[in-house]
């Protein structure tokens, strides 16, 4: 048998996954991790992206390439101009305003034909697709080609099942007041929210079609993949299975697949600061003494809010690393930072302006707390390394994640924000003032019984997270299940193709 034939025979036995993330940092990053995990278990993976997103993720893409794993990054041209978006607007965090959100999802759906052409052209034929739940057009491609298909849910299982229960029990239709406190029906413990805090996905006038396509894509999927782990969300995973009848593959915390410092540093975008500099800054601090502050990739904080945060951090007297996004760095903020603040806190504070190497920071033993917007990736990344949190949600799933962190898991202190701020809002006072921030920090970092208990619970969860990702762990087993499923349900197609070729 020639080398070529041997390779061809081997590749035929390998499942080939097509991964389609939503074009947002909080969805691309975990999918890249998932691609690596599948490839490490012997699968071939094609991850669909676009030129701007591939350039931003170049660091981690290069690391994957160098590792020799069979992961291929497929760049489809993003149809910005055709859809009416500014050129280069290929990621949710690049949108100029809330008004562009709908156009962004319309643009994404135009990728359906190019994706179908790509998948059809592959030999041997891809065996399984994992598509983000917000990309039902990608699910259509799998359906048309008769491929097994899983939906990837970016949020926690707790959030997904809560939204479904609220829908099933008619909360969204029945309750007219967005700010009326309601108990989520059917959960194992009482959790109170308002509709404004738990709005469901795409549950807005004008979004009906996308919402129905998203629900349909999930209903007809072979199962769902979630970035969570059984020991963290067991009761919600079981409830989700019961309510939807769907198989759930909990495969997280995906961030833990990044063992090497350079892998951790390369996630999502090029860090605006050398990660070795951050590392050595942290090395000089006492264990669990530093507070890390980062609000993820999408929420945009106004100058007045940033100044309140700065004053709260200064008043707290704690060492801190504070991340301010490029888009937030207005002349007003820059002036405030440079005219006194940075100098006053220079011995104990580090302000990172731009993209931060979050996993490098969070996994350092000097980190003792995290002020987070409760995006699910940030939440799970903190859980995976045992860091308790100050919860400061902005929108979407974040208020429910706060409930999970504070009320269910007992590893967080709520800053006390009750009203969502969607994406960017131009007016109103800061959601939390310097005193609220200082108070929450002193509660979280406190060495008394309450703080110790919280730290203990966070540490136990981190140990369980690591076990889930080890050999024989629940998440590792679920990755193995995905590979088996793809082989069993997609293999015949590949063989036929190979045979006919
Ligand atoms: N992130 C990062 N550096 C930053 C900001 C964000 O590495 O400066 C990563 C973070 O580790 C997480 C993702 O970006 O993996 C943000 O996802 P999340 O779900 O927390 O929030 P979103 O950005 O979707 O609101």
């Amino acid at each position: 048998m020639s080398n070529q034939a041997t390779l061809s025979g081997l590749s035929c036995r390998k499942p080939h996954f097509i991964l389609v993330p939503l074009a947002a940092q909080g969805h691309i990053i975990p999918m890249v991790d998932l691609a690596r995990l599948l490839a490490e278990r012997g699968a071939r993976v094609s991850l669909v992206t676009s030129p701007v997103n591939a350039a931003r993720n170049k660091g981690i893409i290069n690391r994957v390439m160098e590792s020799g794993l069979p992961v291929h990054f497929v760049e489809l041209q993003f149809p910005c101009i055709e859809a009416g978006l500014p050129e280069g607007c290929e990621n949710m965090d690049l949108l100029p305003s809330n008004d562009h959100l709908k156009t962004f999802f319309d643009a994404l759906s135009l990728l359906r034909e190019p994706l179908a052409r790509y998948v059809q052209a592959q030999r041997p034929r891809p065996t399984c697709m994992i598509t983000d739940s917000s990309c039902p057009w990608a699910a259509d491609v799998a359906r048309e080609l008769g491929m097994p298909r899983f939906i990837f849910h970016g949020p926690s299982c707790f959030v997904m099942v809560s939204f479904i229960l609220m829908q099933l029990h008619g909360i969204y239709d029945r309750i007219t007041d967005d700010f009326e406190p309601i108990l989520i029906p059917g959960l194992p413990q009482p959790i109170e929210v308002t509709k404004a805090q738990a709005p469901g996905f795409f549950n807005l006038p004008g979004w009906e079609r996308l919402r129905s396509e998203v629900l349909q894509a999930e209903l007809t999927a072979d199962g769902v993949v979630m970035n969570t782990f059984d020991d963290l969300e067991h009761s919600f995973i079981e409830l989700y299975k019961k309510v939807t009848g769907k198989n759930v593959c909990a495969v997280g915390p995906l961030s833990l697949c990044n063992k090497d410092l350079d892998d951790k540093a390369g996630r999502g975008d090029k860090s605006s600061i050398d990660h070795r500099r951050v590392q050595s800054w942290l090395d000089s601090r006492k264990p669990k003494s530093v507070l890390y502050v980062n609000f993820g990739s999408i929420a945009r904080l106004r100058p007045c809010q940033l100044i309140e945060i700065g004053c709260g951090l200064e008043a707290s007297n704690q060492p801190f690393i504070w991340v301010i996004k490029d888009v937030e760095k207005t002349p007003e903020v820059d002036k405030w930072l440079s005219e006194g603040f940075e100098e006053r806190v220079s011995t104990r504070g580090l302000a990172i302006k731009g993209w931060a190497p979050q996993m490098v920071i969070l996994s350092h033993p000097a980190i003792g707390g995290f002020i987070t917007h409760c995006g699910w990736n940030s939440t799970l990344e903190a859980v995976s390394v045992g860091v308790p949190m100050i919860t400061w949600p902005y929108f979407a799933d974040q208020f429910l994640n706060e409930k999970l962190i504070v009320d269910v898991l007992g590893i967080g202190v709520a800053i006390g924000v009750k009203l969502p701020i969607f994406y960017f809002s131009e007016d109103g006072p800061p959601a939390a003032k310097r005193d609220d921030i200082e108070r929450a920090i002193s509660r979280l970092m406190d060495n008394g019984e309450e703080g110790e208990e919280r730290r203990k619970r966070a540490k136990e969860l981190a140990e369980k997270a690591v076990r889930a990702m080890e050999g024989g762990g629940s998440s590792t087993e679920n990755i193995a299940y995905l590979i088996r499923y793809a082989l069993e349900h997609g293999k015949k197609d590949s063989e036929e193709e190979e045979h006919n070729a």
Side-chain angles (χ1 to χ4, degrees), residues 21-180:
L22 173 67
Q25 296 301 76
H27 296 245
I28 297 172
I29 293 171
M31 276 269 200
V32 173
D33 290 341
L34 178 61
R36 295 178 60 166
L37 284 169
L38 288 167
E40 278 166 14
R41 299 289 300 224
R44 171 206 290 225
V45 183
S46 300
L47 189 140
V48 176
T49 182
S50 67
V52 167
N53 289 312
R56 291 174 77 172
N57 282 276
K58 202 161 149 243
I60 196 70
I61 290 179
N62 287 345
R63 297 282 305 168
V64 174
M65 309 280 234
E66 283 158 20
S67 71
L69 287 171
V71 180
H72 178 54
F73 292 88
V74 185
E75 286 182 40
L76 300 182
Q77 286 305 315
F78 199 96
C80 289
I81 305 301
E82 294 93 307
L85 286 173
E87 199 165 351
C89 204
E90 301 181 10
N91 189 302
M92 262 175 86
D93 70 0
L94 297 172
L95 296 183
S97 77
N98 287 338
D99 299 339
H100 289 81
L101 201 57
K102 183 74 175 46
T103 319
F104 180 73
F105 277 90
D106 291 343
L108 279 171
S109 68
L110 296 179
L111 290 173
R112 178 185 156 141
E113 290 313 315
L115 176 66
R117 278 198 298 277
Y118 172 80
V119 176
Q120 265 171 319
Q122 298 310 298
R123 291 293 178 278
R125 217 164 136 170
T127 34
C128 187
M129 273 173 86
I130 304 181
T131 62
D132 194 284
S133 65
S134 307
C135 302
W137 48 271
D140 285 348
V141 172
R143 206 166 25 224
E144 280 158 15
L145 300 176
M147 287 165 67
R149 168 179 69 83
F150 287 79
I151 289 288
F152 177 80
H153 277 312
S156 62
C157 191
F158 171 70
V159 164
M160 294 317 302
V161 78
S162 296
F163 284 169
I164 292 170
L165 289 168
M166 287 174 73
Q167 177 71 36
L168 283 177
H169 289 266
I171 302 278
Y172 293 120
D173 300 327
R174 200 157 29 84
I175 308 288
T176 46
D177 181 354
D178 277 359
F179 305 103
E180 179 184 332

Side-chain angles (χ1 to χ4, degrees), residues 26 29 294 296-298 323 355-356 358 373 375-378 381 398:
I29 293 171
N294 192 343
S297 65
I298 295 178
V323 183
W355 192 256
Q358 178 151 308
H373 70 305
W376 182 238
N377 294 284
S378 295
E381 286 159 13
Q398 297 162 11

Side-chain angles (χ1 to χ4, degrees), residues 104-319:
F104 180 73
F105 277 90
D106 291 343
L108 279 171
S109 68
L110 296 179
L111 290 173
R112 178 185 156 141
E113 290 313 315
L115 176 66
R117 278 198 298 277
Y118 172 80
V119 176
Q120 265 171 319
Q122 298 310 298
R123 291 293 178 278
R125 217 164 136 170
T127 34
C128 187
M129 273 173 86
I130 304 181
T131 62
D132 194 284
S133 65
S134 307
C135 302
W137 48 271
D140 285 348
V141 172
R143 206 166 25 224
E144 280 158 15
L145 300 176
M147 287 165 67
R149 168 179 69 83
F150 287 79
I151 289 288
F152 177 80
H153 277 312
S156 62
C157 191
F158 171 70
V159 164
M160 294 317 302
V161 78
S162 296
F163 284 169
I164 292 170
L165 289 168
M166 287 174 73
Q167 177 71 36
L168 283 177
H169 289 266
I171 302 278
Y172 293 120
D173 300 327
R174 200 157 29 84
I175 308 288
T176 46
D177 181 354
D178 277 359
F179 305 103
E180 179 184 332
I182 24 173
L183 282 178
I184 301 174
L187 284 181
Q189 70 188 87
I191 299 288
E192 194 179 76
V193 282
T194 64
K195 257 174 57 170
Q197 293 167 343
F201 288 112
F202 308 117
N203 206 1
L204 289 167
W207 291 78
E208 294 83 0
R209 186 160 154 214
L210 181 60
R211 181 173 160 74
S212 121
E213 287 169 358
V214 165
L215 293 174
Q216 190 58 25
E218 174 158 358
L219 269 177
T220 52
D222 293 55
V224 298
V225 175
M226 293 197 199
N227 184 13
T228 185
F229 59 102
D230 195 60
D231 270 342
L232 184 72
E233 293 205 88
H234 180 76
S235 58
F236 306 119
I237 293 173
E238 290 309 310
L239 189 58
Y240 183 96
K241 285 183 192 164
K242 193 169 146 209
V243 176
T244 63
K246 286 283 158 210
N247 192 8
V248 176
C249 290
V251 294
L254 289 165
S255 58
L256 286 183
C257 78
N258 300 280
K259 307 256 184 294
D260 189 287
L261 202 63
D262 286 331
D263 287 340
K264 287 181 193 170
R267 294 173 87 229
D269 211 334
K270 187 171 166 18
S271 174
S272 62
I273 182 168
D274 186 337
H275 66 85
R276 283 167 295 252
R277 195 182 137 211
V278 186
Q279 181 83 4
S280 64
W281 190 91
L282 284 166
D283 285 346
S284 68
R285 308 283 145 184
K286 290 199 192 105
K288 301 203 183 305
S289 68
V290 179
L291 191 76
Y292 171 56
V293 189
N294 192 343
F295 289 80
S297 65
I298 295 178
R300 290 184 199 182
L301 279 64
R302 287 173 302 139
C304 63
Q305 184 63 84
L306 290 165
I307 291 170
E308 286 301 314
I309 293 175
C311 292
L313 289 171
E314 186 175 352
S316 77
N317 276 322
Q318 291 285 338

